[in-house]
Amino acid sequence: MPTVSPSARLAGQRLERSRASRQFEGQGFRNTAPVGPGLQGNPLPLLGEYFFGGTQRTPPGPLPVDDPRGTWARAPDTGLRVTWLGHSTLLLEVDGARVLTDPVFGDRASPVSFAGPRRFHAPPVPLDALPDLDAVLVSHDHYDHLCRSTIQALAKRRVPFITALGVGQHLEAFGVAPELITELDWWEHHRVGPVGFTAAPSQHFSGRGLGDRNKTLWASWVLTTDKHRLFFSGDTGLTSEFEEIGRRHGPFDLVMLEVGAFHPSWGGIHLGPENALKAHAMLGGGTLMPVHWGTFNLALHAWDEPAETLVRLATEQQVRLFTPGLGRGLEPSRVEGVTPWWRDVGERRLVPQTAP
């Protein structure tokens, strides 16, 4: 497995490394399959859904949010604890290391502060209340995964950043020291303390404005220690490459897959619940945690539809789900049922599942 040398992280070599990637073609990166970010099919029904769909795209009331700081003060007994901080932002505590994924603590997933999708809930803790971090993982450069104000604050901590090829240009612009940035092509590997990070294929796109479409790479991620194996999807559609990821790096103790912001019109670049279960099977199974939902209104479905559909289908297929509430630091191997916190604000119930 190739390992990235420090020299590959120098800003002057960024373009050279990008052009050397098998995923780089012409003027930008591409998916392995011929899948682009454009809408599929006739856009007129989509407009009808937008204006007349009638779905509740935002929660009807405040969401329950726990403060995890008391939990974080104690080491996890099993060596693996996960705290969902909203959308695709998680604090992973794995065998003595703390990794923060796709950190978005800003009020909007947007290039401006006065418009764009606004959070349904406040972050479970202020950004400056996060514990010491060993690494920050950024899957790709979209606004709901890479937040300028959040990165600017984290840069002051001088924590290592792991990301995909090209994304380092944004991190440097937001104040992260170049020597703290590691950019990986698919299948490249880098280690921080006890945690190995491998960039793996995904099916998506990139860009933050006019003229930069697909100038940076997108990736899914494998995190490994001597005792645990984790998969984090970033953003992706369903791709047969998940089977290769499973063969190379599985089985996984925890598979974190995006389930929200889905629609048939962009089904090639986002999973949704049904395809998340297909991806989970291709990866080799393991406990499945849904992410990329419950924080921003980024699609046309009801805000809680991703979770409801996933629970129904996973129960039918006997897939073990892990659905911690916002801010609840839990150890996946010690949770034996689904917690449908989104159904009853302030009341948590366990729905027993049949073990696979």
Side-chain angles (χ1 to χ4, degrees):
M1 181 182 300
T3 299
V4 178
S5 66
S7 63
R9 298 196 293 271
L10 299 177
Q13 297 185 1
R14 184 170 289 125
L15 181 58
E16 180 182 343
R17 288 203 66 223
S18 294
R19 287 176 172 170
S21 171
R22 292 179 61 183
Q23 301 310 125
F24 196 88
E25 184 176 76
Q27 299 299 311
F29 291 95
R30 61 173 177 81
N31 291 304
T32 301
V35 176
L39 296 178
Q40 302 173 23
N42 185 349
L44 291 180
L46 191 68
L47 291 174
E49 277 189 74
Y50 181 81
F51 289 107
F52 308 109
T55 57
Q56 188 161 35
R57 298 174 196 156
T58 60
L63 301 185
V65 178
D66 290 355
D67 187 329
R69 282 174 281 191
T71 300
W72 289 343
R74 305 181 301 274
D77 294 331
T78 63
L80 175 61
R81 183 165 60 207
V82 179
T83 308
W84 185 40
L85 301 174
H87 202 55
S88 295
T89 305
L90 305 109
L91 183 68
L92 305 175
E93 297 172 271
V94 53
D95 297 325
R98 295 192 185 102
V99 178
L100 186 67
T101 70
D102 286 355
V104 176
F105 283 72
D107 192 44
R108 296 182 187 272
S110 170
V112 295
S113 62
F114 55 85
R118 192 169 188 173
R119 302 182 71 98
F120 299 157
H121 60 87
V125 295
L127 186 54
D128 60 8
L130 287 173
D132 292 338
L133 301 171
D134 293 274
V136 177
L137 175 64
V138 178
S139 65
H140 65 296
D141 71 2
H142 284 157
Y143 286 97
D144 57 323
H145 297 260
L146 176 59
C147 170
R148 175 191 288 266
S149 62
T150 302
I151 300 301
Q152 288 173 331
L154 289 172
K156 298 175 183 177
R157 292 182 172 226
R158 292 195 57 81
V159 59
F161 280 75
I162 315 297
T163 191
L165 279 181
V167 181
Q169 64 184 317
H170 299 305
L171 299 178
E172 285 189 40
F174 301 161
V176 180
E179 65 269 19
L180 296 175
I181 301 170
T182 299
E183 299 175 59
L184 302 181
D185 198 356
W186 290 357
W187 304 120
E188 288 183 335
H189 177 81
H190 182 74
R191 179 167 290 274
V192 178
V195 184
F197 295 83
T198 301
S202 65
Q203 189 166 280
H204 199 55
F205 69 106
S206 67
R208 292 174 68 85
L210 297 176
D212 69 344
R213 175 63 57 84
N214 294 346
K215 298 299 184 184
T216 66
L217 185 60
W218 48 96
S220 62
W221 296 88
V222 174
L223 286 69
T224 58
T225 67
D226 290 342
K227 298 179 179 178
H228 290 96
R229 291 179 174 270
L230 314 177
F231 180 81
F232 176 67
S233 69
D235 276 0
T236 183
L238 188 64
T239 167
S240 61
E241 291 160 305
F242 289 136
E243 294 178 338
E244 185 176 2
I245 297 171
R247 285 194 300 269
R248 289 195 187 195
H249 296 287
F252 297 105
D253 300 288
L254 183 65
V255 175
M256 295 159 279
L257 294 178
E258 60 132 286
V259 299
F262 68 94
H263 191 277
S265 293
W266 53 84
I269 55 174
H270 282 293
L271 286 172
E274 185 174 351
N275 280 342
L277 286 166
K278 293 178 182 178
H280 172 260
M282 294 164 70
L283 288 162
T287 299
L288 171 59
M289 177 180 177
V291 297
H292 199 267
W293 77 283
T295 299
F296 297 107
N297 176 13
L298 299 173
L300 303 178
H301 54 67
W303 78 276
D304 58 351
E305 182 180 340
E308 285 293 340
T309 301
L310 183 68
V311 168
R312 175 177 57 80
L313 294 176
T315 300
E316 294 172 358
Q317 299 176 30
Q318 297 187 346
V319 171
R320 187 177 190 274
L321 289 184
F322 176 60
T323 58
L326 293 158
R328 297 205 76 194
L330 296 174
E331 300 178 49
S333 63
R334 292 192 166 180
V335 176
E336 296 301 331
V338 173
T339 305
W341 57 267
W342 56 91
R343 293 177 183 168
D344 297 294
V345 174
E347 179 183 346
R348 295 186 175 93
R349 301 174 296 171
L350 281 179
V351 178
Q353 283 191 291
T354 303

